[in-house]
Amino acid sequence: MTAAWSSPSYCRRIGAGILLVALADFLFYGQPVSITVFIFGTVLAAAVVAMHPAALNDGRVWLKPAALFAALLPLVENVSPLPVLVAVAALAIFALSLAGRLPTGPARIARLLCLFLFTAPFRFARDFFRWRKAARRLGQRRFRLAAIAVWVMPLTLGVVFLALFGAANPIIERWLSLIDLYALLGHIEIARLVFWLIMLAGVWAFLRPRLPRFVSRIRRVPPAAPVARPARTSAEDIVFGKAAILRALIVFNALFAVQTALDATYLWGGVALPDGLTYAAYAHRGAYPLVATALLAAGFVLVALRAGSNTSRDPLIRRLVYLWVAQNIVLVISSMLRLDLYVGVYALTYLRIAAFIWMGLVTAGLALIIARIALTKSSEWLLSANLVTLSATLYACCFVNFAALIANYNVDHSREMTGRGVPIDIWYVRSLGAGAFPALDRFIDHQGPTTAENPAFRQLLGIRPVDEGAYRAVLNHWRAWSFRDWRLLRYLDKRGSLANPAITQPYAPGH
């Protein structure tokens, strides 16, 4: 262990960690955060590659940086929690792959990734205490004396040379005279030191990707030999046996058919609802419980039709499962249509968009269950397929401007714009941020002189230029640049000044 801790690889990691912390201080501390996250992620990836030069011998090594670059691209579009999460996960997978610690299969990678990210904040502290332990094994006094002795000659001669340069060069002498140690101590900030420690702990996990020791111990434990037991019929075999599952599928299919028929009658057939019940209330009450029903049904199918079981090989049960899962898919699609009806009445929000995405993922998961049964795949294959679907969906969401999507929908479908629907909630649309500027501008342009008497509209006219001025002030630095903001600023510059010309000057990076 002692030789390992004194090896050049650890020195490289410590040096790279210090340089990365300095870069993070320059890019992030007290600064706006945007394109700087992409820059820092790229430099961190280069540092990870430098820590594993042997990985460059692989002829297909360029595939890993290309995949990582694709994962970092959402940070160029816009910086928000989702693109940051995608980038951190990609960097972790990249570091583990270069270190030769990445398993095969999306399901195993996901388990390893969760474990790595959970333990990553504590990696630096653990390595630090291991270094202290190594020092004690050598003998603390001798170790410390050796560590100090190696710096005696460089520092002594360095001070001598600096004194000689100060005597020979008046400029250096002036610089030395300006050094005020007390003033330097006064500039030390506790918050900044904490920021440095957090960043060092963060980058160290990627520079030295390791897993907890208990993982390797678990892998080394040999599986217990199966114990031969006499065959007997248990209560579980009766409750979840072939006959019980067959009857359950018949009952479930019948119940789901009733629900599907009711939706077809009232929602899509145009039959009048009972008195006191509106279509919006009918749609809203059914949207989320039906998704929960589909998830429960999926769990039942996975438990009842385990790979290799007798029930999974029965042709009749398989056909009933196909029918039931297909009804579940119809049920989720019906839930999406219900939610669409509800949004048509009560407008769009972040939670309702998230519900649409979630329902789409549930539908894809149900379809994958059918594929797993039809292709006789394992549960790990099903988990891997769902993880790939989820990852692709989250990656695509990184490039969607949901604030602009919500604002455009709510403005374009408002009563003020179409003459039907609900009145627009101006203050909710404004709360969406700068992404709502184009929609609000379109709303302002559409209103005629008669709406100028509306207090809310007149207040919007006064606040809209102030919001634009504050937005431009935040972006008046190269660190705050993002591709999404760049497109919005082009729109604002092309549109012209709605506000005071003094606060809507064209954006110039680097100010």
Side-chain angles (χ1 to χ4, degrees):
M1 180 185 292
T2 303
W5 278 101
S6 60
S7 65
S9 63
Y10 281 94
C11 296
R12 288 200 305 269
R13 286 182 172 89
I14 293 171
I18 294 173
L19 291 177
L20 287 169
V21 170
L23 178 63
D25 181 87
F26 171 72
L27 293 177
F28 302 132
Y29 191 78
Q31 302 292 343
V33 176
S34 191
I35 191 63
T36 49
V37 182
F38 173 78
I39 296 173
F40 186 79
T42 304
V43 176
L44 177 57
V48 171
V49 173
M51 296 303 106
H52 304 90
L56 299 176
N57 298 330
D58 187 0
R60 296 180 297 174
V61 69
W62 62 272
L63 292 173
K64 297 176 181 178
L68 177 63
F69 179 76
L72 295 178
L73 270 183
L75 296 173
V76 179
E77 167 67 16
N78 184 54
V79 173
S80 61
L82 182 57
V84 171
L85 177 63
V86 171
V88 170
L91 282 168
I93 293 174
F94 181 71
L96 289 169
S97 65
L98 290 187
R101 301 176 183 275
L102 194 68
T104 57
R108 296 179 182 177
I109 291 175
R111 286 194 291 267
L112 186 67
L113 179 63
C114 292
L115 184 62
F116 174 80
L117 294 178
F118 178 75
T119 58
F122 313 103
R123 166 57 55 186
F124 177 74
R126 184 174 182 275
D127 287 348
F128 175 77
F129 287 112
R130 288 180 64 193
W131 174 80
R132 294 291 302 273
K133 187 176 180 181
R136 283 196 297 270
R137 288 187 177 182
L138 278 178
Q140 285 188 349
R141 186 175 179 182
R142 184 166 62 88
F143 189 86
R144 290 172 182 170
L145 288 176
I148 295 172
V150 297
W151 284 101
V152 170
M153 183 270 292
L155 291 178
T156 303
L157 289 181
V159 170
V160 172
F161 288 142
L162 186 60
L164 291 174
F165 289 148
N169 192 322
I171 296 178
I172 296 180
E173 183 181 16
R174 178 176 174 80
W175 287 348
L176 293 176
S177 66
L178 294 176
I179 296 176
D180 187 350
L181 294 179
Y182 292 101
L184 292 176
L185 291 175
H187 284 85
I188 295 178
E189 304 176 24
I190 300 299
R192 199 164 203 159
L193 292 177
V194 172
F195 173 78
W196 290 349
L197 288 176
I198 292 174
M199 292 305 304
L200 181 59
V203 300
W204 185 260
F206 296 97
L207 296 176
R208 191 172 182 269
R210 295 291 188 274
L211 294 173
R213 286 188 172 184
F214 70 82
V215 177
S216 57
R217 290 172 183 169
I218 292 174
R219 290 175 179 173
R220 288 197 296 265
V221 174
V227 179
R229 294 181 179 178
R232 61 180 181 179
T233 302
S234 63
E236 182 181 357
D237 295 332
I238 297 174
V239 176
F240 294 98
K242 187 174 178 180
I245 290 175
L246 178 61
R247 287 161 176 77
L249 288 172
I250 294 173
V251 173
F252 295 164
N253 273 296
L255 290 175
F256 276 60
V258 172
Q259 172 61 39
T260 304
L262 287 175
D263 277 353
T265 301
Y266 287 109
L267 281 181
W268 326 126
V271 177
L273 290 168
D275 294 337
L277 184 62
T278 64
Y279 283 100
Y282 182 84
H284 182 249
R285 289 191 57 181
Y288 301 106
L290 290 182
V291 175
T293 303
L295 290 174
L296 182 61
F300 173 82
V301 170
L302 293 177
V303 172
L305 273 79
R306 295 184 296 272
S309 63
N310 292 330
T311 53
S312 64
R313 290 190 290 266
D314 188 279
L316 178 58
I317 290 180
R318 288 169 69 95
R319 293 191 188 97
L320 288 173
V321 167
Y322 292 152
L323 176 61
W324 191 39
V325 175
Q327 287 201 77
N328 275 276
I329 293 176
V330 173
L331 207 64
V332 177
I333 294 174
S334 174
S335 299
M336 297 176 72
L337 295 174
R338 287 167 176 260
L339 187 58
D340 181 65
L341 288 175
Y342 187 76
V343 167
V345 176
Y346 295 105
L348 194 61
T349 63
Y350 276 113
L351 288 178
R352 289 162 195 167
I353 287 182
F356 276 120
I357 296 172
W358 171 244
M359 291 175 184
L361 289 173
V362 171
T363 304
L366 291 169
L368 288 171
I369 289 177
I370 292 181
R372 177 235 178 186
I373 297 172
L375 302 175
T376 62
K377 296 291 184 179
S378 64
S379 296
E380 185 173 351
W381 176 90
L382 179 63
L383 178 60
S384 299
N386 277 283
L387 286 172
V388 170
T389 304
L390 175 64
S391 301
T393 302
L394 293 178
Y395 182 76
C397 288
C398 293
F399 294 95
V400 179
N401 189 345
F402 289 108
L405 179 66
I406 295 171
N408 288 327
Y409 182 91
N410 290 354
V411 167
D412 294 340
H413 294 79
S414 64
R415 181 179 299 173
E416 290 84 352
M417 299 290 285
T418 63
R420 58 182 182 275
V422 295
I424 184 174
D425 186 348
I426 293 176
W427 307 120
Y428 174 74
V429 175
R430 176 177 173 264
S431 70
L432 298 173
F437 285 171
L440 287 175
D441 291 342
R442 194 164 61 254
F443 175 76
I444 291 172
D445 293 341
H446 183 269
Q447 304 309 299
T450 55
T451 58
E453 301 300 325
N454 187 335
F457 182 71
R458 283 189 280 115
Q459 193 174 1
L460 175 63
L461 289 177
I463 291 178
R464 169 65 180 83
V466 177
D467 290 343
E468 181 177 336
Y471 172 69
R472 288 179 179 272
V474 171
L475 293 180
N476 200 23
H477 199 288
W478 68 268
R479 288 181 175 88
W481 188 93
S482 72
F483 188 48
R484 182 175 299 174
D485 289 320
W486 176 77
R487 297 196 305 270
L488 181 56
L489 285 167
R490 286 189 62 192
Y491 157 79
L492 294 174
D493 292 338
K494 184 181 295 185
R495 174 179 172 80
S497 174
L498 278 177
N500 189 322
I503 62 173
T504 57
Q505 292 299 321
Y507 169 67
H511 286 183

